[in-house]
């Protein structure tokens, strides 16, 4: 017969203790992530990379006839657990939020909309989702890495797709399923050079580049002050966008 404490059966008391401990742990994780995230946002905003990104985004926004309405992050990876990848992934998250803030500021000058934010990665854990939600990001799901899943419904020509260090398999799914007009992610030229010439990855990146990226404007993103630590192991990034014929405004 299970022990009863204060009229509660032992099993229910244990479950309630476990739930209390989990809630306390989640709160601690959230506040530690919040602190790290805020420091990284400040670091990004103070960096020359931020200046370079703002100039590139401005070039896109002023030539666009329709405003950007959503930002969808793909492949951030799990960042809630401490690991050697955690700092880089949190930096990628900080850069995503900074890019969205820069677009919001540019669009606000012409009364444009504020972006809706989304993120998808099949490896997100509950603490990741809880933290992303606290930042106003809605988490999307995919049944498998080789499919775009829910993100497919949210990516249209007015969406910023953010994909730092996404798998090539997922790039293939993204570029064949969605119409991508604005992408902030891996520099395809650097990505192609990363793989030996005779590998299938090299050929796949080459084909994706020629089929989907060739018609887009490209600016490689450089600038010190953010990706300077060797342990971040950052990968070259670029902004790609589809140039439109008529400019929306030249006032920005
Ligand atoms: C090479 S890892 C990079 C993770 C992280 N960006 C980093 O720098 O450590 C690629 C990530 O893409 C994610 N991924 C794979 N397929 C995906 C899909 N269909 N949608 C979103 N993310 C996907 C993987 O789960 C993985 O976290």
């Amino acid at each position: 017969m299970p022990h009863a404490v204060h009229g509660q059966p032992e099993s229910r008391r244990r479950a309630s203790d476990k739930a209390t401990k989990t809630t306390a742990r989640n709160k601690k994780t959230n506040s530690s992530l919040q602190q790290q995230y805020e420091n990284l946002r400040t670091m990004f905003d103070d960096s020359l990379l931020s200046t370079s990104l703002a100039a590139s985004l401005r070039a896109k926004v002023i030539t666009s006839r329709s405003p950007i309405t959503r930002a969808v992050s793909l492949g951030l990876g799990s960042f809630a657990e401490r690991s050697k990848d955690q700092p880089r992934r949190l930096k990628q998250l900080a850069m995503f939020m900074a890019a969205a803030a820069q677009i919001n500021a540019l669009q606000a000058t012409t009364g444009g909309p504020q972006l809706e934010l989304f993120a998808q990665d099949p490896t997100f854990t509950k603490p990741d989702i809880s933290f992303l939600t606290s930042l106003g990001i809605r988490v999307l799901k995919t049944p498998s890495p080789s499919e775009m899943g829910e993100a497919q419904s949210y990516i249209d020509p007015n969406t910023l797709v953010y994909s730092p260090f996404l798998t090539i398999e997922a790039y293939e799914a993204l570029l064949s399923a969605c119409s991508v007009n604005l992408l902030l992610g891996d520099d395809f030229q650097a990505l192609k050079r990363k793989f030996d010439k005779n590998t299938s990855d090299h050929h796949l990146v080459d084909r994706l580049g020629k089929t989907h990226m060739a018609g887009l404007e490209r600016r490689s993103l450089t600038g010190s002050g953010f990706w300077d630590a060797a342990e971040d192991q950052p990968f070259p990034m670029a902004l790609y966008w589809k140039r439109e014929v008529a400019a929306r405004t030249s006032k920005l």
Side-chain angles (χ1 to χ4, degrees), residues 75-77 88-89 92 120-123 145 147-148 164-166 170:
L76 274 182
R88 181 182 63 249
R89 293 175 178 180
Q92 291 170 350
Q120 176 172 289
D121 193 305
T123 65
E147 292 174 50
M148 262 309 100
F165 207 1
L166 184 64

Side-chain angles (χ1 to χ4, degrees), residues 73-78 85 88-89 92 120-124 142 144-149 151 163-167 169-171 173 232-233:
S73 166
L74 298 173
L76 274 182
S78 176
D85 298 319
R88 181 182 63 249
R89 293 175 178 180
Q92 291 170 350
Q120 176 172 289
D121 193 305
T123 65
F124 281 154
T142 180
S144 103
S146 58
E147 292 174 50
M148 262 309 100
S163 51
F165 207 1
L166 184 64
T167 57
E169 183 191 32
Y171 268 124
D232 286 341
Q233 298 183 302

